[in-house]
Amino acid sequence: MEIFKHMQDYDYEELVFCQDKQSGLKAIIAIHDTTLGPALGGTRMWTYASEEEAIIDALRLAKGMTYKNAAAGLNLGGGKTVIIGDPKKDKNEAMFRAFGRFIQGLNGRYITAEDVGTTVYDMDLIHEETDFVTGISPAFGSSGNPSPVTAYGVYKGIKASAKEAFGSDMLEGKTIAVQGVGNVAYTLCEHLHNEGANLIVTDINKDAVNKAVEAFGAKAVDPNDIYSVDCDIYAPCALGATINDETIPMLKAKVVAGAANNQLKETKHGDLLHEKGIVYAPDFVINAGGVINIADELSGYNKERALKRVETIYDNLLKVFDISKRDSIPTYLAADRMAEERIQSLKYSRSQFLLNGHHILSRR
């Protein structure tokens, strides 16, 4: 792998390799862009097949965080860490404390958080060595479980998507098919039910489905049938890549808006939704409630303030839909463009500031 070529092609700033022989730590920190502020992104622990695979994953995820943070209106850049190892067998206190020291050494350029394979307890161990970590235990001033806040943001995003598709953001009487009824989706169902929406739910976990049926009067369907049900809105809230060649022809919904990551199997599927006139809420915009919430911890967590910021997901999606119409592009591209325009405008204003400063000095 030609690492510098890859970094140049996609404009990465920094790649940091961290190893601690005693604890077994092998970590890669990727910092993609810090134009808007310090890079924020979680620490993932995974059994990668090769070091190259781990590097590629760290780079890919870091770039994704740049776009997510920019689109959310946060003054934060994008970064990500991957730790190579089995999260069920290889963890130890020394590993995460050693990793915390590496983060401290970056002096605030990178701030980490919980991700796949890591826990709040792991973040607490990192916090023993650095303050540049979020998602720690509430006892240390953290926001705690992010699921309810993420769900609230997705709910606001669904309302914005309904406004775009139907002319009104009222969800009363709308039929919404929710795929997956995990922690985020269950709270989302609660918001939707309270507004008078009719729910259709599915999940491989039958207990989760039964709970939603009891609590919200939801209709349960088989996991394979959720795509073809008669509904106004399809909300993917489980695995990624559920928007694909097989499912798109089945969809009767006018809106796709949910909590899942990487909902499009390929970018061409975003093009297909656009061609069919289906309003798609890009996943990294609608599910940004969690990162907005933990970002608030950097100012001393205030729940009311965090929820107000999460509500901006509604306006952010309306901006995405406007850009989509303005530039005649699918919404997944419009979301990228919104993030890129924000970053580029700041880069331009900084370059003008530096240029003006040079002129003033040269006149002296």
Side-chain angles (χ1 to χ4, degrees):
M1 181 181 181
E2 295 182 77
I3 292 175
F4 276 110
K5 184 177 186 305
H6 192 91
M7 290 176 73
Q8 286 175 338
D9 288 347
Y10 298 97
D11 206 17
Y12 287 87
E13 292 180 7
E14 192 170 358
L15 196 60
V16 182
F17 294 87
C18 316
Q19 86 76 33
D20 180 70
K21 188 175 180 180
Q22 187 175 356
S23 66
L25 174 70
K26 292 179 182 176
I28 302 159
I29 302 171
I31 296 175
H32 177 248
D33 189 288
T34 57
T35 302
L36 298 175
L40 173 68
T43 293
R44 177 169 295 195
M45 188 169 184
W46 196 252
T47 50
Y48 292 97
S50 67
E51 292 177 3
E52 182 173 335
E53 184 181 273
I55 293 168
I56 290 169
D57 202 31
L59 291 168
R60 178 183 65 84
L61 293 166
K63 185 178 180 183
M65 288 306 301
T66 294
Y67 281 76
K68 188 166 194 166
N69 292 337
L74 298 173
N75 293 318
L76 293 164
K80 205 79 172 188
T81 295
V82 299
I83 295 177
I84 300 171
D86 186 338
K88 294 178 181 174
K89 298 189 302 185
D90 298 333
K91 286 183 181 181
N92 57 72
E93 178 181 353
M95 171 183 288
F96 286 96
R97 293 192 64 160
F99 179 55
R101 292 191 291 276
F102 281 111
I103 293 174
Q104 182 65 21
L106 292 171
N107 201 31
R109 270 180 58 74
Y110 170 67
I111 302 160
T112 199
E114 185 182 345
D115 202 290
V116 174
T118 60
T119 65
V120 172
Y121 177 70
D122 300 329
M123 297 305 109
D124 287 348
L125 292 175
I126 293 170
H127 183 56
E128 292 289 333
E129 305 291 343
T130 184
D131 288 330
F132 301 118
V133 55
T134 58
I136 52 180
S137 294
F140 297 120
S142 166
S143 56
N145 179 11
S147 295
V149 186
T150 303
Y152 183 61
V154 174
Y155 164 64
K156 287 292 182 180
I158 288 176
K159 286 178 70 66
S161 304
K163 183 177 177 66
E164 178 66 15
F166 309 116
S168 167
D169 67 5
M170 298 297 290
L171 299 177
E172 184 176 1
K174 291 282 188 288
T175 299
I176 303 175
V178 182
Q179 182 191 43
V181 200
N183 291 333
V184 171
Y186 184 85
T187 305
L188 171 63
C189 287
E190 188 173 13
H191 288 300
L192 300 173
H193 172 72
N194 289 343
E195 194 171 325
N198 305 309
L199 297 175
I200 301 172
V201 298
T202 195
D203 199 297
I204 57 173
N205 182 339
K206 298 301 180 188
D207 290 339
V209 170
N210 292 337
K211 189 179 174 186
V213 169
E214 264 186 57
F216 313 123
K219 176 186 174 184
V221 298
D222 185 83
N224 295 321
D225 296 334
I226 194 69
Y227 310 106
S228 58
V229 297
D230 282 313
C231 65
D232 300 294
I233 298 166
Y234 164 59
C237 296
L239 298 174
T242 64
I243 304 298
N244 54 53
D245 288 339
E246 290 74 39
T247 60
I248 289 175
M250 298 187 219
L251 291 176
K252 297 184 175 70
K254 296 294 183 187
V255 172
V256 173
N261 288 312
N262 305 314
Q263 293 170 24
L264 305 176
K265 186 172 182 181
E266 298 175 54
T267 55
K268 71 173 184 178
H269 298 118
D271 298 326
L272 285 172
L273 291 180
H274 184 67
E275 289 165 13
K276 289 172 71 73
I278 296 173
V279 173
Y280 169 59
D283 42 36
F284 71 83
V285 180
I286 193 172
N287 69 15
V291 73
I292 294 171
N293 189 57
I294 62 169
D296 193 79
E297 295 177 18
L298 302 173
S299 308
Y301 186 68
N302 179 294
K303 185 176 182 180
E304 186 178 344
R305 180 180 62 203
L307 289 175
K308 280 288 182 190
R309 287 176 175 170
V310 168
E311 287 174 1
T312 63
I313 288 172
Y314 183 102
D315 295 322
N316 291 339
L317 277 170
L318 293 183
K319 286 179 196 169
V320 168
F321 300 142
D322 285 344
I323 293 169
S324 173
K325 288 179 285 192
R326 180 194 77 189
D327 298 348
S328 300
I329 56 175
T331 55
Y332 78 91
L333 285 176
D336 286 352
R337 192 159 294 179
M338 180 175 75
E340 288 161 358
E341 286 176 358
R342 183 166 179 242
I343 293 166
Q344 290 306 317
S345 68
L346 188 56
K347 282 183 176 178
Y348 177 77
S349 65
R350 280 183 180 167
S351 67
Q352 290 300 107
F353 177 78
L354 291 170
L355 187 62
N356 291 337
H358 173 73
H359 287 328
I360 291 166
L361 288 170
S362 62
R363 285 201 298 271
R364 287 178 180 174

